[in-house]
Amino acid sequence: FLANHTSFMDSIVLAGHLPWAMLRRHRLLADIRFMKTPVLGRLFQAEQHIAVAFAGTKVNDFKLEKGNAEQIAAAIDIAMEAKDCLILYPEGQINKINLRVLNTFRRGSFKAAVRHDAVLWGWVAINNTVCWPTNTQLGGSPADIICMPVELAPGGTRELLTSLGVALEAKEGGEEELLTQQAGAVAQACQERMQKVLDALYVKHDAAPATDSYQ
């Protein structure tokens, strides 16, 4: 699953909609700092999610601690080989800029998906920030959360790449260059499809009459 990221509430809402067969085998890529937060951090540790250790704290600073990139890549490969349900936030960080526009998807996250011909689904949700604002350690406010799954590559990434007109096989010596191109094409296609759904959810939300103070 690829999901937009606006709040600590995102993982809880998504997990609450997964069937048990997926929920018991799901793995999440999560900022290691979240694992030190109350409640959610304890849950992440208990479920042995994959820790992402950012070296910096600034917005759009995606540099990782030494050795962490290799640890993440190895953990993702293990999860995909085991056919686990892997949940990624391809924006890389919580979107604090414009909730109606997805931040650029990090292409590196898609290389493993291409290598393993992974099935990809998207998950788009709005108003999680109303329930759990990013500046608070614990959420729980009433909110009209709207969410929707999105078909991205239900037949696998190779099928998606074929539909996009991207080569599947590289010339000798050009494997890594082609993989980078493929990952970029998949990332862009997924972002465009998820943005269309995000736009539609906000149209629905904006057209709905406000019935409570939190709307």
Side-chain angles (χ1 to χ4, degrees):
F1 269 95
L2 308 176
N4 66 316
H5 201 15
T6 61
S7 164
F8 296 150
M9 194 68 189
D10 297 333
S11 301
I12 298 174
V13 173
L14 174 51
H17 284 81
L18 290 177
W20 173 244
M22 286 187 175
L23 183 62
R24 70 185 180 87
R25 295 178 61 90
H26 85 290
R27 301 290 302 279
L28 179 73
L29 263 70
D31 190 328
I32 196 170
R33 291 169 293 191
F34 296 170
M35 297 187 180
K36 300 176 183 178
T37 61
V39 185
L40 197 57
R42 292 288 184 90
L43 180 62
F44 281 8
Q45 291 178 44
E47 294 183 337
Q48 298 183 331
H49 291 309
I50 301 170
V52 179
F54 290 111
T57 58
K58 296 181 180 179
V59 175
N60 293 331
D61 181 1
F62 298 103
K63 185 181 295 184
L64 299 176
E65 296 285 354
K66 185 178 180 180
N68 186 232
E70 292 76 10
Q71 293 172 346
I72 293 171
I76 289 176
D77 282 336
I78 291 171
M80 288 193 170
E81 288 169 4
K83 305 298 183 184
D84 287 341
C85 176
L86 193 62
I87 299 174
L88 305 178
Y89 294 110
E91 294 169 282
Q93 296 176 343
I94 288 179
N95 184 350
K96 299 179 180 179
I97 301 172
N98 183 351
L99 302 183
R100 294 176 181 245
V101 179
L102 296 171
N103 287 332
T104 302
F105 283 10
R106 306 294 298 168
R107 299 185 177 192
S109 305
F110 290 85
K111 288 186 176 181
V114 172
R115 288 200 308 270
H116 291 274
D117 190 22
V119 170
L120 299 180
W121 284 81
W123 181 262
V124 180
I126 65 173
N127 291 344
N128 285 339
T129 50
V130 178
C131 181
W132 193 336
T134 56
N135 59 352
T136 61
Q137 285 198 323
L138 190 62
S141 300
D144 180 19
I145 295 172
I146 309 174
C147 45
M148 182 178 294
V150 188
E151 278 193 3
L152 297 176
T157 53
R158 291 179 65 88
E159 182 179 289
L160 174 59
L161 287 167
T162 299
S163 71
L164 296 173
V166 179
L168 297 180
E169 304 298 334
K171 296 179 181 179
E172 185 175 351
E175 291 81 5
E176 188 59 34
E177 181 180 351
L178 178 60
L179 179 60
T180 299
Q181 179 187 353
Q182 292 170 330
V186 172
Q188 182 176 345
C190 290
Q191 180 165 350
E192 289 174 355
R193 295 178 188 186
M194 289 175 65
Q195 183 64 56
K196 288 181 180 179
V197 173
L198 183 62
D199 293 341
L201 293 186
Y202 271 112
V203 167
K204 179 179 180 180
H205 173 266
D206 294 344
T211 57
D212 294 288
S213 60
Y214 61 82
Q215 294 179 316

